[in-house]
């Protein structure tokens, strides 16, 4: 049995046939070749597969593809402007080297993007609270927290 | 080729470097970075593996008929297929691990049947149709059980392989006793006499727990057999070691095997040495199609751990606190198979001396086989186990003698230029300087808050490996752009950035324009692997040598064009200066070679020489210190430990990228901090892994960080690499747990001898010391 689901991905409307038990991560990776969506734990723990679903960060490994029906999906490939200009969060992660192996990075950047949309100036506790839906085994988090604070500042500078 | 030797000089300070551009950084923040996980080939099948539910069992039979009949299933591989291989087993120097279980399973999670099918869903459905008939055998839960007289044997016969050769004072023995995989000893001076003479002798035992690497990208491989060649896209961090293993296993010439190493999503030792790569190749061979096997994190947890260990130290000390002699008995739980256990045993034994001066040492380090997940390398090959025991005992001795733990360390430290052991290289860091920096940052001399305790610890390990060597190619195109080819895998440590910076430095060209080439064993120069923090020093020295040769080549070319001697010329950016005049190189190259241009190309190769006079048979290349300070408080009611401050420092010799160096130390420190505080792989009494799933296996997250966590990296300028460089990747793990344990003792007066320092363990220790 297959279902047809329609949604937008990085701004483009799409339709695809999926099994009922297919997860969003597989559709994003295999069907749309947006392999910046990484699968680490495959169980909604590590956040490597995080995508924005109607601007809410979701674990694509543990979201059924049919749940995307009618929604707006953003992956890491959809964050930079078409001319290649990085978003403030991407810029910040790059500038402070908020990554090592980078396997967690796409998911983290989307998670932080959603955080700053809700709270443009989060305090430490809010940041670590949000980072609770992600694991980075490489960095020890210091550089990631610095990246979040840097991104918030970049956003403010643009707004000012 | 040149020989690479430990440095015995202080390099002049270099002008401070701006942060070099991160190789591949842009790709990582835009989702464009490609990992082994993303490798895909046309017509590729997907494999899944059925794993043993038993810690120890004989396999009576496997019925795959129903699975084979499932539409979409292409190949099924079992031990019968493995048996037909030229060498059906692998392991570093002792090859005891079957490519897939043959006749017997020896740990829960061992691969028993593999299915390749059109997709993972079909492969999993097929596995559900396989029947394996097991005859359970008695399990060996820990080294004590495995060493008990009459204990069941994990292997009835000696396994293929050899004991790694060692140098002066050391012995190395393969399978010296039942269920003992390997034994290393090291002896110098007369320990018995020293123990007899000493004012104080203290014997203490320390238990160290097993943890998993938890690299976010699980182990993943894509293999294809085509036209007599085996080609692999692998997350393995040792492309050439893997090629050599596959060559032995399949009985194929090594040059018929081609390994590609894309970006690797974290490893920490978990992706070094051969693992399931031969299995993936075997499935691809049988299926006659490309095959991908991506483990899940659950499966990765059942693939490898860090060694749990029991370390007993008997240490003789003078009345004044001078360390005299130490006897160490180290028992490492190797799990079911060798993997890299030989290296871990040898290095734990070597490193148990710590950063101190001794008159005599007598060390025995054994790996015992148990029916648990195999243990292997984990960021420092036994360095953390050794540092933990040694640095905890330092504080215990200090308290017993009424000496400040800082003073006890400083009075016994090896000075810069003092050899670590007779015949070995000298310490190339200022150990006291680093510890002083920790004390300053921690406020060690300031009055303590009520109920708080301070703990210090200084770990040290050798770095750069034993007799390692590396090749590198540096190319400079007609436009003055650099390409560096070397087999040090990019695993998050910034190998490409460092190696490109080294080449750009030598050539005086812009590192922003340098590229780190893809790793492909057909074209990339060979090295020993991405190990022992050797990337910057060993491979970096090969890159520097190649870059220097390219420079000569460029100057010789320009001299010919300008009809002068190379010595009359100086390279300045992408031009040569002769007397006052600057001659751009690009038109000169195009003028001579034509439109396609040219690449000046040179090869560099360095080798660390063997030296039988050194304990490990080669003088250690450089020393990696880890200075740690912790401030904690302990809730007497609950046993909960709060780490208020954690300060961790190391010495990079010379820094190329401060952010990368600090990131390595911070990342390693938080792995060790998680292990100290809560992380461990646990087993039930029936030897079922209790928490081998992402939901139950807890690793440190951002909210777990100490209230204040600070990292520093010094430049003592004494390393053997270009400009005084050393490696740093493994250092930050070494002494974290000891510093926290020491701080707990300082706060409570009680030594907690169980890792992790969970509320339960701490409360039990407090209650035992002071029954309410
Ligand atoms: S892969 Fe989805 S949360 Fe880990
Ligand atoms: S950078 Fe490797 S997991 Fe975060």
């Amino acid at each position: 049995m297959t279902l047809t689901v329609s949604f937008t991905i990085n701004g483009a409307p799409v339709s695809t046939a999926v099994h009922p038990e297919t997860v969003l991560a597989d559709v994003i990776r295999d069907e749309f070749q947006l392999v910046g969506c990484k699968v680490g734990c495959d169980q909604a723990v590590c956040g490597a597969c995080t995508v924005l679903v109607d601007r809410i960060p979701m674990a694509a490994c543990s979201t059924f593809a049919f749940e995307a029906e009618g929604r707006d999906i953003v992956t890491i490939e959809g964050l930079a402007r078409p001319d290649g200009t990085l978003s403030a969060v991407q810029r910040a992660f790059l500038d402070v080297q908020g990554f090592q192996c980078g396997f967690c990075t796409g998911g983290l950047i989307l998670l932080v993007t959603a955080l700053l949309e809700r709270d443009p100036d989060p305090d430490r506790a809010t940041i670590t609270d949000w980072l609770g839906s992600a694991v980075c085994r490489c960095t020890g988090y210091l550089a990631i927290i610095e990246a979040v604070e840097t991104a918030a500042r970049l956003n403010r500078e643009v707004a000012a | 080729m040149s020989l690479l030797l430990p440095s015995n000089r202080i390099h002049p300070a270099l002008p401070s470097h701006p942060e070099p551009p991160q190789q591949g950084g842009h790709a990582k923040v835009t989702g464009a970075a490609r990992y082994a996980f993303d490798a895909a080939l046309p017509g590729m099948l997907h494999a899944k593996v059925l794993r043993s539910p038993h810690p120890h069992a004989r396999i009576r039979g496997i019925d795959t008929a129903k699975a084979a009949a499932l539409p979409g299933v292409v190949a099924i591989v079992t031990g019968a297929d493995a048996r037909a291989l030229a060498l059906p087993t692998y392991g570093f120097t002792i090859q005891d691990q079957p490519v897939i279980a043959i006749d017997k399973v020896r740990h829960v999670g061992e691969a028993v049947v593999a299915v390749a099918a059109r997709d993972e869903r079909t492969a999993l459905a097929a596995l559900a149709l396989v029947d394996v008939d097991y005859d359970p055998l008695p399990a060996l839960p820990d080294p004590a059980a495995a060493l008990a007289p009459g204990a069941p044997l994990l292997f009835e016969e000696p396994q293929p392989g050899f004991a790694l050769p060692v140098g002066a004072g050391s012995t190395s023995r393969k399978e010296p006793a039942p269920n003992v995989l390997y034994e290393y000893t090291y002896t110098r001076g007369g320990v018995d006499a020293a123990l007899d003479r000493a004012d104080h002798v203290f014997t203490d035992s320390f238990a160290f727990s097993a943890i998993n690497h938890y690299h976010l990208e699980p182990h993943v491989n894509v293999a294809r057999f085509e036209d007599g060649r085996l080609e692999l896209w692998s997350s393995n961090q040792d492309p050439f070691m893997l090629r050599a293993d596959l060559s032995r296993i399949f009985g194929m010439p090594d040059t018929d095997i081609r390994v590609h190493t894309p970006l690797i999503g974290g490893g920490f030792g978990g992706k070094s040495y051969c693992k399931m790569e031969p299995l993936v190749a075997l499935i691809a061979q049988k299926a006659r199609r490309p095959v991908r096997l991506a483990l899940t994190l659950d499966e990765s947890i059942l693939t490898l751990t860090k060694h749990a260990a029991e370390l007993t130290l008997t240490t003789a000390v003078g009345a004044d606190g001078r360390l005299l002699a130490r006897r160490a008995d180290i028992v490492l739980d190797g799990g079911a198979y060798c993997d890299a256990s030989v290296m871990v045993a040898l290095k734990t034994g070597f490193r148990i001396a710590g950063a101190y001066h001794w008159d005599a040492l007598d060390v025995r380090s054994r790996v015992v086989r148990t029916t648990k997940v195999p243990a292997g390398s984990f960021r420092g090959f036994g360095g953390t186990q050794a540092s933990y025991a040694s640095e905890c005992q330092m504080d215990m001795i200090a308290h017993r003698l009424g000496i400040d733990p800082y003073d006890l360390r400083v009075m016994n430290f090896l000075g810069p230029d003092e050899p670590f052991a007779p015949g070995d290289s000298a310490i190339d860091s200022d150990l006291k300087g680093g510890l002083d920096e920790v004390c300053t940052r921690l406020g060690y001399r300031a009055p303590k808050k009520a109920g708080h305790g301070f703990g210090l610890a200084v770990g040290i390990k050798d770095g750069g490996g034993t007799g390692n060597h590396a090749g590198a190619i540096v190319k400079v195109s007609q436009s003055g752009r650099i390409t560096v080819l070397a087999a040090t895998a990019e695993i998050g440590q910034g190998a490409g950035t460092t190696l490109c910076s080294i080449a750009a430095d030598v050539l005086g060209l812009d590192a922003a324009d340098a590229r780190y080439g893809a790793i492909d064993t057909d074209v990339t120069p060979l090295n020993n692997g991405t190990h022992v923090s050797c990337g910057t020093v060993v491979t970096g020295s090969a890159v520097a040598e190649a870059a220097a040769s390219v420079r000569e080549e460029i100057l010789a070319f320009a001299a010919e064009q300008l009809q002068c001697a190379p010595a009359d010329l100086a390279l300045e950016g992408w031009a040569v200066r002769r007397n006052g005049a600057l001659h751009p190189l690009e038109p000169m190259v195009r003028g001579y070679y034509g439109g396609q241009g040219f690449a000046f190309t040179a090869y560099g190769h360095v080798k660390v020489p063997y030296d039988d006079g050194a304990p490990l048979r080669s003088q250690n290349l450089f020393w990696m210190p880890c200075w740690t300070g912790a401030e904690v408080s302990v809730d007497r009611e609950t046993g909960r430990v709060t780490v208020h401050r954690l300060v961790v420092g190391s010495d990079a010799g010379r820094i190329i990228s401060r952010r990368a160096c600090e990131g390595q130390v911070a990342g390693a420190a938080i792995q060790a901090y998680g292990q100290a505080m809560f992380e461990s792989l646990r087993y039930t009494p029936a030897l079922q892994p209790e928490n081998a799933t992402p939901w139950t296996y807890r690793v440190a997250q951002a909210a777990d960080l100490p209230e204040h966590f600070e990292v520093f990296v010094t430049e003592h300028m004494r390393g053997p690499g270009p400009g005084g460089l050393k490696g740093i990747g493994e250092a930050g793990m070494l002494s974290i747990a000891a510093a926290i344990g020491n701080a707990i003792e300082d706060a409570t007066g009680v030594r907690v001898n169980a890792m992790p320092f969970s509320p339960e363990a701490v409360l039990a220790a407090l209650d035992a010391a002071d029954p309410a």
Side-chain angles (χ1 to χ4, degrees):
Chain A
M1 182 177 111
T2 57
L3 310 165
T4 300
V5 282
S6 305
F7 50 91
T8 62
I9 188 155
N10 298 333
V14 293
S15 255
T16 184
V18 298
H19 279 279
E21 71 271 35
T22 300
V23 294
L24 188 55
D26 287 348
V27 174
I28 290 172
R29 287 182 58 84
D30 300 344
E31 183 77 20
F32 300 108
Q33 266 91 58
L34 297 167
V35 298
C37 173
K38 302 296 185 210
V39 179
C41 68
D42 209 10
Q43 294 186 29
V45 172
C46 75
C49 65
T50 298
V51 297
L52 300 181
V53 178
D54 288 348
R55 306 309 283 181
I56 295 169
M58 304 265 285
C61 71
S62 303
T63 302
F64 285 118
F66 65 74
E67 294 180 80
E69 178 62 34
R71 312 233 175 209
D72 172 46
I73 313 276
V74 178
T75 72
I76 185 67
E77 290 88 347
L79 272 195
R81 290 214 221 107
D83 69 355
T85 311
L86 299 179
S87 76
V89 181
Q90 288 173 308
R91 186 77 258 159
F93 269 79
L94 188 57
D95 286 352
V96 310
Q97 289 183 29
F99 51 82
Q100 287 176 24
C101 80
F103 206 74
C104 67
T105 309
L108 268 171
I109 287 175
L110 290 160
L111 178 69
V112 172
T113 301
L115 161 62
L116 297 182
E117 283 173 4
R118 279 157 189 75
D119 182 349
D121 190 14
D123 58 18
R124 244 330 142 93
T126 309
I127 294 171
T128 52
D129 198 29
W130 271 66
L131 294 180
S133 46
V135 171
C136 173
R137 188 59 155 170
C138 294
T139 60
Y141 302 101
L142 279 185
I144 292 171
I145 293 168
E146 190 185 346
V148 181
E149 290 167 349
T150 305
R153 205 180 54 239
L154 288 177
N155 273 334
R156 278 197 301 277
E157 284 166 14
V158 172
Chain B
M1 187 194 87
S2 40
L3 295 179
L4 185 58
L5 296 163
S7 166
N8 50 12
R9 66 188 183 107
I10 304 179
H11 292 256
L14 293 165
S16 81
H17 233 286
E19 256 321 286
Q22 271 269 94
Q23 290 280 320
H26 188 269
K28 285 176 180 172
V29 302
T30 55
R34 291 292 175 268
Y35 297 78
F37 189 76
D38 305 316
L41 295 174
M44 181 173 83
L45 301 171
H46 296 265
K48 279 283 150 194
V49 174
L50 189 68
R51 292 174 182 278
S52 168
H54 298 286
H56 194 194
R58 201 164 295 286
I59 300 171
R60 272 197 295 241
I62 302 177
D63 180 356
T64 57
K66 275 185 274 176
L70 192 72
V73 171
V74 179
I76 301 181
V77 166
T78 67
D81 301 288
R83 205 196 304 275
L85 289 165
L87 177 68
T89 54
Y90 59 91
F92 184 67
T93 81
I94 301 177
Q95 288 88 39
D96 62 359
Q97 186 159 9
V99 167
I100 187 164
I102 298 175
D103 299 335
K104 228 178 145 177
V105 288
R106 297 182 181 85
H107 69 92
V108 171
E110 180 162 1
V112 178
V113 181
V115 169
R118 65 176 168 230
D119 51 28
E120 286 193 347
R121 181 202 323 265
T122 308
L124 285 168
L127 291 180
L129 299 174
V130 172
D131 268 328
V132 184
D133 184 11
Y134 292 104
D135 179 13
L137 296 166
L140 295 169
D142 51 43
L147 291 174
L153 294 177
L154 229 55
F155 290 89
E156 283 82 21
E157 279 150 31
Q159 295 300 296
F162 61 94
L164 209 63
V166 287
S170 299
T171 69
S172 176
R173 287 165 73 203
K174 168 179 174 284
E175 300 180 308
N179 290 328
V180 179
L181 173 85
Y182 174 78
E183 179 181 279
Y184 168 79
T185 67
Y186 177 68
T187 318
R188 72 168 144 107
V191 164
D192 285 325
L195 292 177
D196 285 348
R197 269 200 323 267
D199 298 303
H200 307 279
V201 174
F202 302 107
T203 298
D204 301 289
S205 290
F206 303 90
F208 193 89
S209 62
I211 59 170
N212 174 257
H213 303 70
Y214 206 104
H215 33 75
L216 227 50
E217 177 198 41
H219 299 94
V220 57
N221 288 278
V222 173
R224 144 168 99 188
F225 262 98
E226 212 170 75
D227 197 26
R229 290 197 80 185
L230 165 59
E231 200 170 3
L232 226 86
W233 286 257
S234 180
S235 65
N236 190 297
Q237 68 202 58
D238 304 323
F240 284 97
M241 204 185 292
L242 179 58
R243 189 179 75 163
D245 280 329
L246 290 167
S247 157
R248 275 193 292 270
I249 290 167
F250 285 89
M252 289 170 71
D254 47 9
T255 46
D256 280 350
I257 297 164
R258 182 176 184 186
V259 179
H260 304 266
T261 311
L263 289 180
I264 301 175
F268 322 115
K271 289 174 177 166
S272 59
Y273 302 98
C274 197
K275 300 266 178 308
M276 75 293 307
E277 297 83 4
L279 175 60
V280 189
L282 182 59
I283 309 169
Q285 189 178 41
K286 195 166 180 188
R288 297 166 176 276
R289 297 256 296 271
V291 169
R292 175 180 191 257
L293 174 64
L295 301 193
T296 60
L297 186 51
D298 310 57
E299 292 177 286
S300 276
I301 296 175
L302 296 177
T303 299
L304 197 72
T305 72
K306 193 176 180 102
H307 287 77
E310 283 279 336
L311 306 96
T312 301
L313 306 185
T314 300
T315 303
V317 192
D320 56 352
R322 216 165 62 77
L323 299 175
L324 303 171
R326 170 171 280 176
R327 171 164 286 142
D329 187 19
I330 300 162
V331 179
L332 296 151
D333 185 342
Y337 297 111
C338 175
D339 198 276
S341 274
V342 168
M343 285 294 285
V344 173
L346 185 141
K347 297 277 183 168
T348 315
F350 181 65
R351 293 166 181 169
I352 197 67
Y356 309 107
H357 184 276
W358 300 97
D359 297 334
L361 285 170
D362 179 20
V363 179
R364 174 164 78 148
S365 175
R366 285 174 292 169
V367 188
V368 178
R369 287 169 161 145
T370 61
T371 52
K372 295 207 293 240
V373 174
S377 70
F378 192 132
R379 212 164 192 161
F381 288 112
T384 27
Q385 287 88 336
S387 289
Y388 175 67
S390 182
E391 285 301 286
C392 286
Q393 200 190 30
M394 284 301 281
D395 266 48
M396 295 164 79
I397 292 170
H399 291 141
R400 289 164 183 152
L401 299 185
I403 300 176
D404 187 288
Y406 167 89
D407 294 330
L408 184 69
R409 288 185 171 83
V410 168
M411 103 175 61
N412 286 291
F413 270 150
L414 289 165
D417 303 331
E418 238 186 300
F420 180 80
D424 212 325
S425 61
I427 297 300
D428 52 9
S429 284
D430 175 2
L431 296 172
K432 177 176 179 299
L435 186 59
D436 286 340
E437 170 109 34
V438 164
C439 290
T440 306
R441 288 171 183 249
L442 191 66
Y444 186 71
R445 304 277 170 223
K448 263 181 287 195
K449 284 201 195 136
H452 285 217
F454 285 132
L456 302 176
V458 182
I460 193 156
K461 69 176 280 293
D462 47 292
T466 305
N468 273 354
H469 66 105
I473 290 173
V474 173
K475 304 197 273 185
V476 182
S477 75
Q478 71 274 5
S479 58
R481 287 177 165 80
I482 299 172
T483 304
V484 175
L485 299 181
T488 297
E490 179 57 78
I491 194 162
Q493 83 283 44
T497 306
T498 303
L499 297 177
C500 285
S501 293
I502 289 172
D505 264 3
V506 172
L507 287 156
L509 293 170
D510 192 350
D513 290 337
R515 294 288 171 266
Y516 191 50
I519 297 176
D520 168 351
T521 54
D522 270 7
V523 291
T524 308
L526 188 147
N527 73 15
N528 291 98
T530 310
H531 273 277
V532 288
S533 305
C534 69
T536 45
V537 175
V538 183
T539 309
S541 297
V543 168
E545 187 179 279
S549 303
V550 169
R551 191 173 210 284
E552 309 258 293
E553 203 187 304
I554 294 166
L555 289 175
F557 166 80
E560 209 174 296
Q561 299 305 304
L562 298 172
Q563 307 206 335
C564 63
D568 299 339
L569 299 175
L571 196 59
E572 254 187 66
W574 196 229
V576 286
R577 183 176 292 281
R578 183 186 178 199
N579 302 324
L582 209 53
H583 303 270
L585 276 160
E586 182 153 4
M588 217 187 284
V589 176
R590 284 194 195 281
Y592 183 79
Y593 285 103
Q596 265 57 264
F598 181 68
F600 298 95
T601 305
Y603 176 64
H605 183 224
V606 297
K607 165 90 175 88
V608 181
Y610 286 119
D611 176 352
D612 288 327
L616 295 186
R617 206 179 148 236
S618 123
Q619 287 195 38
N620 177 49
L621 205 45
F622 56 89
W623 298 95
M624 303 171 70
C626 177
W627 300 287
T628 309
E631 178 181 353
V632 310
S633 65
V634 179
D635 184 329
R636 182 61 186 90
E637 297 297 309
T638 63
R640 191 187 143 91
V641 175
T642 302
V643 178
H644 299 283
R645 302 173 72 81
L646 183 65
V647 178
V648 187
S650 188
D651 171 28
R654 166 196 155 213
I655 291 171
I656 288 184
S657 162
R658 181 168 291 280
R659 283 189 180 279
C661 287
E662 289 178 353
Q664 284 296 309
V665 175
I670 291 306
Q671 287 176 350
Y673 166 80
Q675 177 177 25
M677 299 300 285
F678 46 75
E679 180 184 335
S680 73
L681 180 61
R682 300 185 305 270
Y683 289 83
T684 66
L687 232 51
Q688 292 296 325
E690 193 173 78
N691 59 334
T693 72
W695 274 94
T696 51
Y697 188 89
R698 180 174 169 212
V699 297
Q701 289 189 283
D704 295 315
L705 292 193
E707 283 170 12
H708 175 88
F709 172 41
E710 190 176 321
V711 160
F712 69 91
V713 177
T714 60
E715 293 182 280
H716 290 168
M717 304 306 290
R718 289 167 175 268
L725 265 180
K726 302 201 226 178
I728 196 165
E730 300 163 316
M733 246 192 132
L734 292 175
S735 44
I736 311 298
I740 294 172
N742 291 344
I744 294 172
E745 184 173 14
D746 189 44
T748 64
V750 174
R751 171 62 49 178
V752 182
N753 187 16
M755 273 171 85
F757 308 131
S758 63
E760 297 85 340
V762 173
L763 198 57
L766 294 176
D767 286 346
D770 172 25

Coordinates of all heavy atoms in Angstrom, one line a residue, chain B residues 569-593:
Chain B
L569 N 66.9 33.4 -6.4 CA 65.5 33.7 -6.4 C 64.9 33.5 -5.0 O 65.3 32.6 -4.2 CB 64.8 32.7 -7.4 CG 65.2 32.9 -8.8 CD1 64.5 31.8 -9.7 CD2 64.9 34.3 -9.3
A570 N 63.8 34.2 -4.7 CA 63.0 34.0 -3.5 C 61.6 33.9 -4.0 O 61.1 34.7 -4.8 CB 63.2 35.1 -2.5
L571 N 60.9 32.9 -3.4 CA 59.5 32.8 -3.7 C 58.7 33.8 -2.9 O 58.8 33.9 -1.6 CB 59.0 31.4 -3.3 CG 57.7 30.8 -3.9 CD1 57.7 30.9 -5.4 CD2 57.5 29.4 -3.4
E572 N 57.8 34.6 -3.5 CA 57.1 35.6 -2.8 C 55.6 35.5 -3.3 O 55.3 36.0 -4.4 CB 57.6 37.0 -3.1 CG 58.4 37.6 -1.9 CD 58.8 39.0 -2.2 OE1 57.9 39.9 -2.3 OE2 60.0 39.2 -2.3
G573 N 54.8 34.9 -2.5 CA 53.4 34.7 -3.1 C 53.6 33.8 -4.3 O 54.5 33.0 -4.4
W574 N 52.8 34.1 -5.3 CA 52.9 33.3 -6.5 C 53.8 34.0 -7.6 O 53.4 34.3 -8.7 CB 51.6 32.9 -7.1 CG 51.7 31.8 -8.1 CD1 51.2 31.7 -9.3 CD2 52.4 30.5 -7.9 NE1 51.5 30.5 -10.0 CE2 52.3 29.8 -9.1 CE3 53.2 30.0 -6.9 CZ2 52.9 28.5 -9.3 CZ3 53.8 28.7 -7.1 CH2 53.6 28.0 -8.3
A575 N 55.0 34.4 -7.1 CA 56.0 35.1 -8.0 C 57.3 34.9 -7.4 O 57.5 34.4 -6.2 CB 55.7 36.6 -8.0
V576 N 58.4 35.1 -8.2 CA 59.7 35.0 -7.7 C 60.4 36.4 -7.7 O 60.2 37.1 -8.7 CB 60.6 34.0 -8.4 CG1 60.2 32.5 -8.1 CG2 60.5 34.2 -9.9
R577 N 61.1 36.6 -6.7 CA 61.9 37.9 -6.7 C 63.3 37.6 -7.0 O 64.0 36.7 -6.5 CB 61.8 38.6 -5.3 CG 62.4 39.9 -5.3 CD 62.2 40.6 -3.9 NE 60.9 41.0 -3.7 CZ 60.3 42.1 -4.2 NH1 60.9 42.9 -5.1 NH2 59.0 42.4 -3.9
R578 N 63.8 38.4 -8.0 CA 65.2 38.4 -8.3 C 65.8 39.8 -8.3 O 65.3 40.7 -8.9 CB 65.4 37.8 -9.7 CG 66.8 37.6 -10.2 CD 66.9 37.2 -11.6 NE 68.2 37.1 -12.0 CZ 68.6 37.1 -13.3 NH1 67.7 37.3 -14.2 NH2 69.9 37.0 -13.6
N579 N 66.8 39.9 -7.5 CA 67.2 41.3 -7.1 C 66.0 42.1 -6.7 O 65.3 41.7 -5.8 CB 68.0 41.9 -8.3 CG 69.2 41.1 -8.6 OD1 69.8 40.5 -7.7 ND2 69.5 41.0 -9.9
G580 N 65.7 43.2 -7.3 CA 64.6 44.0 -6.9 C 63.3 43.5 -7.6 O 62.2 43.8 -7.1
A581 N 63.4 42.8 -8.8 CA 62.2 42.6 -9.6 C 61.4 41.4 -9.3 O 61.9 40.4 -8.9 CB 62.7 42.5 -11.1
L582 N 60.1 41.6 -9.3 CA 59.2 40.5 -9.0 C 58.7 39.9 -10.4 O 58.2 40.6 -11.2 CB 58.0 41.0 -8.2 CG 57.3 40.1 -7.3 CD1 58.2 39.5 -6.3 CD2 56.2 40.9 -6.5
H583 N 58.8 38.6 -10.5 CA 58.4 37.9 -11.8 C 57.2 37.0 -11.4 O 57.4 36.0 -10.8 CB 59.5 37.1 -12.4 CG 60.7 37.9 -12.6 ND1 60.9 38.5 -13.9 CD2 61.8 38.2 -11.9 CE1 62.1 39.2 -13.8 NE2 62.6 39.0 -12.6
P584 N 56.0 37.3 -11.9 CA 54.8 36.4 -11.6 C 55.0 35.1 -12.2 O 55.6 34.9 -13.4 CB 53.7 37.2 -12.3 CG 54.2 38.4 -12.8 CD 55.6 38.5 -12.7
L585 N 54.6 34.0 -11.5 CA 54.9 32.7 -12.0 C 53.9 32.2 -13.0 O 54.2 31.4 -13.9 CB 55.0 31.7 -10.8 CG 56.3 31.7 -10.1 CD1 56.2 31.2 -8.7 CD2 57.3 30.9 -10.9
E586 N 52.6 32.6 -12.8 CA 51.6 32.0 -13.7 C 51.9 32.2 -15.2 O 51.9 31.2 -15.9 CB 50.2 32.6 -13.3 CG 49.1 31.9 -14.2 CD 47.8 31.9 -13.5 OE1 47.6 32.4 -12.4 OE2 46.9 31.3 -14.2
P587 N 52.2 33.4 -15.7 CA 52.6 33.5 -17.1 C 53.8 32.7 -17.5 O 53.9 32.1 -18.6 CB 52.8 35.0 -17.3 CG 52.7 35.7 -16.0 CD 52.2 34.7 -15.0
M588 N 54.7 32.6 -16.5 CA 55.9 31.8 -16.8 C 55.6 30.3 -17.0 O 56.1 29.7 -18.0 CB 56.9 32.0 -15.6 CG 58.3 32.1 -15.9 SD 59.3 32.0 -14.4 CE 59.1 33.7 -13.8
V589 N 54.7 29.8 -16.2 CA 54.3 28.4 -16.3 C 53.5 28.2 -17.6 O 53.8 27.2 -18.3 CB 53.5 28.0 -15.1 CG1 53.0 26.5 -15.2 CG2 54.3 28.1 -13.8
R590 N 52.6 29.1 -17.8 CA 51.8 28.9 -19.0 C 52.7 29.0 -20.3 O 52.5 28.3 -21.3 CB 50.7 29.9 -19.1 CG 49.5 29.6 -18.1 CD 48.3 30.4 -18.4 NE 47.3 30.3 -17.3 CZ 46.5 29.3 -17.1 NH1 46.5 28.3 -18.0 NH2 45.7 29.3 -16.1
G591 N 53.6 30.0 -20.2 CA 54.5 30.2 -21.4 C 55.2 28.9 -21.7 O 55.4 28.6 -22.9
Y592 N 55.6 28.2 -20.7 CA 56.4 27.0 -20.9 C 55.6 25.8 -21.2 O 55.9 25.0 -22.1 CB 57.4 26.8 -19.7 CG 58.3 25.6 -19.9 CD1 59.5 25.8 -20.7 CD2 58.1 24.4 -19.4 CE1 60.3 24.8 -20.9 CE2 58.9 23.3 -19.6 CZ 60.1 23.5 -20.4 OH 60.9 22.5 -20.6
Y593 N 54.5 25.6 -20.4 CA 53.8 24.3 -20.5 C 52.5 24.4 -21.3 O 51.9 23.4 -21.6 CB 53.3 23.9 -19.1 CG 54.5 23.3 -18.3 CD1 55.1 24.0 -17.3 CD2 55.0 22.0 -18.6 CE1 56.2 23.4 -16.5 CE2 56.0 21.4 -17.9 CZ 56.6 22.2 -16.8 OH 57.7 21.6 -16.1

